[in-house]
Amino acid sequence: MVSKVRDFLMDEGFIEYVLGVSPELVSQWEAYFKIHPEYMAAVEEAKAVLLAPADVDCEFSEDEYDDLKDRIISSIFDVH
């Protein structure tokens, strides 16, 4: 399960979905999860990591955490 959570956290489209960047992404991901309900536990965990305060331990190395943080920030300001 942990690897699936990490997969979601490393997916730019998933990050943008969680942040609500576009209604199209939200629709696409929700359709995907209807087809793959077995991923919902991993999805909820990944969402919690993305939306958690900065001091939550997510088992990422410092470099991975910094990379993820940079990608999240850039996705907020990079409107498609």
Side-chain angles (χ1 to χ4, degrees), residues 32-47:
Y32 177 80
F33 297 135
K34 284 181 183 178
I35 296 169
H36 297 285
E38 69 274 16
Y39 295 142
M40 289 311 297
V43 167
E44 293 305 318
E45 190 172 340
K47 282 182 177 181

Side-chain angles (χ1 to χ4, degrees), residues 9-29:
L9 291 172
M10 300 304 287
D11 185 302
E12 185 175 335
F14 180 79
I15 294 168
E16 292 177 355
Y17 154 71
V18 172
L19 297 175
V21 171
S22 77
E24 295 83 17
L25 277 174
V26 172
S27 294
Q28 288 172 2
W29 280 99

